[in-house]
Amino acid sequence: MPEPIEVRKIPLHSVSDASELATLIDDGVLDADRVVAVIGKTEGNGGVNDYTRIIADRAFREVLVAKGSRSAEDVKQVPIVWSGGTDGIISPHATVFATLPAEEAVQTDEPRLSVGFAMSEQIRPEEIGRTPMIEKVAAGVRTAMERAGITDPADVHYVQTKTPLLTIDTIRDAKSRGEQVWTENTHESMDLSNATTALGVAVALGEVEAPTDEQVMHDLSLFSSVASCSSGVELDRAQIVVVGNVRGVGGRYRIGHDVMRDALDQDGIWAAIRDAGLELPERPHHSDLQGRLVNVFLKCEADPSGSVRDRRNAMLDDSDVHWHRQIKACVGGVTAAVTGDPAVFVSVAAVHQGPSGGGPVAAIVDMGETIQV
């Protein structure tokens, strides 16, 4: 049986700030050696050259080394997934997951939060966008499920990944070996890596049959309702965090999920919160959450039709501000209006992640005492 989980959301006061993580450890809320995953938002541009992710990653790992007994090499294995870009009112923050000794957790037979993680085999640049990457991600998801103690894919509510994208150097590497990459547009490769990874998650969870290379980025009827995929220059394999519910593990927290059908679909966010276990009135308000919502995690995408609810928008034609930033700011505002808190995890490039033009939503709630988040 996996150990119960403690999870807290903390602000980032600057791009290199990990002081709130240090405070949680100093106050005895978390044990540095028991931190198993971090998922956060940094304030960079969200692009290929968003080095705020690397800066934040270093700051958090330095705290885990300084405050615990694990070596720097061991701490490098902890999955820390940063999504760059806090456009609009989205506030930089991190959600920290740590195990608890069983005797310190609330005892219950009800489903409670469990987390598993894995690293895939190395993903070569020529595999991004193609079947070998899908297969490697799927294998990693299955390993992470096993580590979380999850046997039924229906109990998986959120899969956060970080995968490599293409850079000039990795494109050159593929060519030197006589291989061809899917695209030489490094920014486009971000969407491509996310989409391919999402299909790997969907295959592992039985949401879709194994797709062909030709379906990647093209058959938008194929998607995972729980995948949240990010990519960057920080790694050369898939970093996978599987979050779900397990009976008997104990603890205070529970996770649920649903999907947004489009960029304005507040009902999809509320549905995810309800799925996590909170009872809400028919027409809820953020005050009904009573501090029990730890965080929500969303992916979003500009609708390829160029419209939302039959109203035309110009995001996909805008040459001044990339649509990545526009849709992220939009959905971030919609989400914060639901939660009453701008510190929400909203990430872009959601092809094969939720319905086209929408995206998946996961919500973690505290089923025990009310806490400040």
Side-chain angles (χ1 to χ4, degrees):
M1 178 69 69
E3 292 183 295
I5 297 293
E6 180 66 38
V7 55
R8 295 296 177 99
K9 181 170 68 178
I10 54 175
L12 271 62
H13 301 297
S14 71
V15 70
S16 60
D17 172 58
S19 62
E20 298 287 351
L21 173 61
T23 298
L24 285 178
I25 296 168
D26 290 342
D27 290 348
V29 177
L30 306 176
D31 184 326
D33 291 339
R34 287 181 167 272
V35 172
V36 294
V38 178
I39 299 171
K41 292 292 300 182
T42 65
E43 60 210 70
N45 61 24
V48 175
N49 65 335
D50 184 351
Y51 300 111
T52 65
R53 297 182 297 236
I54 297 175
I55 296 170
D57 187 89
R58 178 178 297 173
F60 270 63
R61 293 188 194 278
E62 286 176 350
V63 167
L64 293 180
V65 172
K67 299 288 185 179
S69 61
R70 289 184 288 190
S71 68
E73 193 61 35
D74 287 340
V75 168
K76 282 183 181 179
Q77 305 310 309
V78 177
I80 300 182
V81 179
W82 296 105
S83 169
T86 50
D87 302 88
I89 63 168
I90 299 172
S91 184
H93 69 280
T95 304
V96 185
F97 300 82
T99 60
L100 283 176
E103 63 273 14
E104 295 183 16
V106 174
Q107 302 300 307
T108 176
D109 289 329
E110 290 297 309
R112 288 295 184 265
L113 193 72
S114 186
V115 177
F117 61 91
M119 295 289 281
S120 76
E121 295 180 25
Q122 183 181 12
I123 296 170
R124 293 181 177 273
E126 64 270 19
E127 294 174 338
I128 297 174
R130 296 176 175 135
T131 303
M133 182 175 181
I134 294 173
E135 294 171 345
K136 289 179 179 180
V137 169
V141 171
R142 295 185 187 104
T143 298
M145 283 179 61
E146 182 179 354
R147 290 174 176 170
I150 298 172
T151 57
D152 186 349
D155 292 328
V156 175
H157 294 275
Y158 177 43
V159 181
Q160 179 64 57
T161 66
K162 191 75 175 186
T163 50
L165 46 71
L166 292 169
T167 66
I168 296 301
D169 285 341
T170 58
I171 292 170
R172 187 182 299 120
D173 169 65
K175 288 183 174 180
S176 72
R177 293 181 284 104
E179 302 289 349
Q180 294 296 316
V181 294
W182 199 93
T183 178
E184 294 191 20
N185 183 322
T186 58
H187 197 274
E188 181 185 32
S189 77
M190 178 181 297
D191 295 40
L192 175 67
S193 181
N194 293 355
T196 313
T197 304
L199 289 174
V201 174
V203 168
L205 300 180
E207 295 178 284
V208 302
E209 297 294 329
T212 64
D213 286 353
E214 291 72 26
Q215 289 176 297
V216 177
M217 294 289 287
H218 294 114
D219 186 349
L220 301 185
S221 69
L222 304 178
F223 64 83
S224 171
S225 61
V226 298
S228 175
C229 306
S230 294
S231 52
V233 299
E234 308 96 304
L235 69 177
D236 63 358
R237 59 198 67 216
Q239 192 177 66
I240 301 162
V241 181
V242 167
V243 189
N245 295 316
V246 173
R247 286 190 179 275
V249 69
R252 291 167 26 192
Y253 304 96
R254 185 167 170 170
I255 188 169
H257 81 277
D258 210 284
V259 296
M260 291 179 76
R261 300 292 171 183
D262 61 32
L264 299 178
D265 185 15
Q266 294 190 10
D267 290 341
I269 304 172
W270 286 117
I273 297 170
R274 286 191 174 97
D275 189 54
L278 284 193
E279 294 184 8
L280 296 168
E282 182 178 354
R283 294 179 63 84
H285 183 264
H286 64 77
S287 59
D288 297 315
L289 297 171
Q290 298 182 335
R292 294 186 179 274
L293 178 65
V294 179
N295 206 1
V296 288
F297 305 84
L298 300 89
K299 290 293 292 189
C300 59
E301 184 81 6
D303 195 307
S305 71
S307 65
V308 174
R309 302 194 182 182
D310 297 324
R311 294 290 192 180
R312 183 176 71 89
N313 63 70
M315 280 189 288
L316 297 175
D317 288 327
D318 194 332
S319 297
D320 296 314
V321 181
H322 195 276
W323 66 262
H324 275 196
R325 311 201 71 164
Q326 297 189 47
I327 192 64
K328 194 187 306 177
C330 168
V331 174
V334 170
T335 306
V338 169
T339 66
D341 182 358
V344 290
F345 185 94
V346 178
S347 178
V348 77
V351 177
H352 298 310
Q353 298 152 79
S356 183
V361 187
I364 296 175
V365 301
D366 184 352
M367 303 299 290
E369 298 177 3
T370 302
I371 61 171
Q372 289 297 115
V373 294

